Amino acid sequence: MSRATRAVIALSALRHNLQRAREAAPHSRIMAVVKANGYGHGLVRAAEALSGADAYGVSSLDEAAELRDAGITAPIVLLEGFTRASDLSAVREYGVQCVLHHRSQLALLEADRGEAPIAVWLKLDTGMHRLGFSVEDFPAILGRVLDCASVAKPLRLITHLAQADDPDSAETPRQIDLLHGAAADLDAELSIANSAGVLAWPQSHVDWVRPGVMLYGVAPFVAGTGPEHALRPAMTLSSELIAVNRYRRGDRIGYAGTWRCPEDMHVGVVAIGYGDGYPRHAPSGTPVLLNGRRVPLIGRVSMDMLSVDLRSQPQARVGDPVVLWGEGLPVEEVARMAGTIGYELLCGVAPRVKVEVRA
Ligand SMILES: *Cc1c(COP(=O)(O)O)cnc(C)c1O
């Protein structure tokens, strides 16, 4: 029999979450971010389910090409732009808009002798200090961009929030003000907000919002979970019990024997492990849903398996269903236990996990 390990993708949840973004930012257009294989949900699958969006955000030309080859005609924005002169023909061929964040890109555009001007989102670094032109350099760069024949006009301006996941951050209003200051004399559409901006910072909404993780049902904040923001998990990672064994008080479970049975007890083995993208760092006590009820993970996560404490479900049987995250168990909870964020767990589901799509 084939392995039961599955990622069930609920397309209705993606549509619902897009609607939530619309309600939260009703005066903005939505660039649905589908990079990293649609946050692990499938690039084309996610984009098609999110076809109500006004544009898509991707990180690479490869992703843009995959969307175009699948017949998607909506605007696509390359969030990291292009890196070499030879990219520009693909940018034109696929008709993608580019974030322009670095002098090296501007030099390529100034040297470019292509026919059609390229639509550009000029990126201002207002505090993230990752990509973008500094506020000091911005006026000079803007002059060059406006003079560049290979850049389509009018421009659009974009910045990225560094601390919007913290609802008390003083940095976020400062970043928003800086973008407005830079844009004051320009006829340009603006974009600031990621998911955290959409849900917690209305003043960041402006012309375009760029939700990513919330579309997949995950809360972008340091605390809380998607359902608390009326989001629905789009991925449910599931498997089943493949063994139920009884051990004696003091027996050690798994590699390095890190967990000892405090009494005679049943232990279940679930067919999923770090080879599937379940985090190896999830400690004993991380919740796992067995038959719809929580049981704690015990011992170290193996490549293909993990063990669970069956003291609360001694009647559990081989074949009983297990949910690792998704419906009934927010991925944020598992991520926090494992010292990471839901984003990483969703993106990291391994190719060997079978995908099952639900309408
Ligand atoms: C990934 C990304 C987003 C989406 O961020 P979420 O936190 O997933 O909503 C928005 N803008 C840019 C530039 C990004 O790289």
Side-chain angles (χ1 to χ4, degrees):
M1 207 200 76
S2 75
R3 204 155 170 259
T5 316
R6 291 267 183 289
V8 178
I9 308 296
L11 303 180
S12 59
L14 292 168
R15 290 190 295 267
H16 167 88
N17 297 332
L18 178 63
Q19 185 54 31
R20 276 289 298 136
R22 285 249 178 254
E23 289 160 12
H27 307 297
S28 304
R29 272 170 288 165
I30 295 183
M31 185 192 304
V33 180
V34 293
K35 64 193 181 191
N37 194 33
Y39 288 54
H41 296 67
L43 173 63
V44 171
R45 181 182 301 126
E48 286 176 344
L50 298 168
S51 61
D54 303 291
Y56 297 107
V58 299
S59 55
S60 69
L61 264 173
D62 295 329
E63 291 171 335
E66 200 178 325
L67 292 179
R68 288 287 183 249
D69 291 345
I72 287 171
T73 56
I76 297 175
V77 181
L78 274 187
L79 294 171
E80 295 162 26
F82 51 86
T83 45
R84 40 185 76 75
S86 57
D87 291 340
L88 293 178
S89 54
V91 164
R92 289 190 167 97
E93 178 188 344
Y94 292 112
V96 296
Q97 306 177 3
C98 292
V99 167
L100 173 59
H101 60 81
H102 200 265
R103 286 193 157 75
S104 59
Q105 296 173 318
L106 182 51
L108 292 175
L109 287 170
E110 287 172 336
D112 173 64
R113 292 287 168 267
E115 296 287 290
I118 291 169
V120 155
W121 294 74
L122 186 57
K123 185 152 193 173
L124 188 66
D125 177 12
T126 54
M128 176 74 176
H129 296 156
R130 186 176 62 180
L131 297 183
F133 296 101
S134 71
V135 174
E136 297 72 47
D137 292 345
F138 189 72
I141 294 290
L142 180 64
R144 282 172 61 186
V145 173
L146 290 171
D147 285 343
C148 180
S150 285
V151 173
K153 315 293 177 327
L155 288 176
R156 301 176 177 91
L157 289 194
I158 183 169
T159 197
H160 195 55
L161 298 173
Q163 299 177 27
D165 59 331
D166 170 6
D168 300 320
S169 127
E171 176 68 0
T172 299
R174 202 189 65 83
Q175 287 194 264
I176 296 169
D177 286 349
L178 281 176
L179 188 73
H180 283 301
D185 303 323
L186 266 180
D187 167 31
E189 291 178 358
L190 307 181
S191 179
I192 303 173
N194 52 8
S195 296
V198 170
L199 290 171
W201 300 92
Q203 62 276 48
S204 73
H205 290 174
V206 298
D207 301 296
W208 285 86
V209 293
R210 309 187 306 276
V213 82
M214 71 174 287
L215 300 176
Y216 307 95
V218 174
F221 304 112
V222 283
T225 61
E228 291 163 37
H229 299 274
L231 300 171
R232 293 193 199 143
M235 178 198 292
T236 296
L237 185 66
S238 64
S239 186
E240 64 183 12
L241 281 188
I242 58 165
V244 173
N245 296 312
R246 191 165 169 83
Y247 296 107
R248 299 232 173 259
R249 192 179 109 132
D251 283 350
R252 294 173 180 273
I253 302 298
Y255 284 119
T258 58
W259 199 85
R260 286 180 88 142
C261 296
E263 57 190 307
D264 293 0
M265 60 182 281
H266 286 98
V267 170
V269 179
V270 184
I272 196 159
Y274 64 81
D276 302 293
Y278 190 87
R280 185 177 169 281
H281 293 295
S284 292
T286 302
V288 170
L289 272 193
L290 168 63
N291 295 311
R293 280 175 292 140
R294 288 174 183 233
V295 292
L297 182 155
I298 54 177
R300 286 213 181 140
V301 173
S302 303
M303 184 182 288
D304 307 314
M305 288 172 271
L306 55 80
S307 296
V308 291
D309 177 344
L310 293 183
R311 280 178 292 172
S312 64
Q313 295 193 49
Q315 76 297 345
R317 291 280 174 271
V318 168
D320 282 359
V322 173
V323 166
L324 288 310
W325 64 65
E327 285 288 344
L329 180 57
V331 69
E332 297 93 317
E333 278 194 54
V334 179
R336 278 175 204 132
M337 291 293 290
T340 183
I341 53 177
Y343 297 69
E344 186 183 18
L345 299 188
L346 295 180
C347 291
V349 173
R352 79 170 180 188
V353 175
K354 294 191 187 74
V355 172
E356 199 175 299
V357 180
R358 300 256 166 90

